[in-house]
Amino acid sequence: GTVKFSVGVMGDIVRAGWVTKESRHWGRWRLRWLELVYEEGTSVPNLCSYKAARMQWPEEPPRPTERLPLVGATCFPCPDDGTMAAGRPHAFALNLRGRDFVFATETADEAVEWVRSLSLAIAELALRLGGVEPSSMLAGGVPSPYEPFNAAATAAAA
């Protein structure tokens, strides 16, 4: 489907569903409708959260409670040791500009699918923006978007 942001940006929805999200200011957990959307024109993936599901929206879409362009982001499952997500099960995090945005789903499978979808979107964006060096691959085969690919340096090192 296509989504129209309140700022007039159109895009394709890749993944959507309910999650709980840790709020930025108070650390409270809130239910949010989450959408992974590729902006039309730039094809930059954005993670947008809303207070209501798409089927509950009026004709004009509401402004997202959060809109995170995934340039330079990383996504990972939260450890089970309670250091993140206040010990919530099925949690994952998106690190963007040095900040962790933490989400939790109802099932482990949902969390795995969100991490997979977000990591794929981040990796594809990194490759479009200049690639990554093979040495910058993270656990699970997801490239880090912070280093541009340098074929000459890679060939010289071999």
Side-chain angles (χ1 to χ4, degrees):
T2 298
V3 61
K4 183 177 190 293
F5 293 108
S6 58
V7 292
V9 178
M10 300 292 289
D12 290 322
I13 301 168
V14 177
R15 180 162 192 77
W18 287 107
V19 300
T20 52
K21 180 188 172 302
E22 188 176 27
S23 69
R24 182 183 336 186
H25 300 293
W26 301 104
R28 293 189 182 125
W29 287 84
R30 297 193 168 117
L31 190 62
R32 291 290 183 256
W33 180 255
L34 203 61
E35 293 186 347
L36 174 57
V37 180
Y38 280 85
E39 281 186 23
E40 188 175 80
T42 66
S43 293
V44 171
N46 284 259
L47 190 62
C48 299
S49 65
Y50 301 91
K51 291 181 181 179
R54 177 166 293 278
M55 56 288 266
Q56 299 169 321
W57 294 358
E59 289 224 6
E60 278 297 307
R63 184 175 195 87
T65 57
E66 197 126 45
R67 180 177 174 191
L68 307 170
L70 301 183
V71 178
T74 56
C75 185
F76 52 93
C78 292
D80 292 331
D81 61 7
T83 56
M84 294 183 81
R88 286 180 182 260
H90 321 307
F92 63 96
L94 180 74
N95 183 279
L96 185 61
R97 296 181 297 274
R99 178 171 169 233
D100 288 329
F101 296 85
V102 183
F103 307 89
T105 59
E106 286 289 316
T107 69
D109 287 345
E110 286 177 293
V112 166
E113 285 302 310
W114 272 109
V115 171
R116 186 194 66 73
S117 296
L118 288 165
S119 296
L120 182 60
I122 292 164
E124 288 172 347
L125 178 63
L127 291 171
R128 279 200 325 264
L129 295 177
V132 294
E133 291 199 33
S135 63
S136 67
M137 295 296 279
L138 302 175
V142 178
S144 168
Y146 299 111
E147 300 177 50
F149 180 72
N150 183 335
T154 303

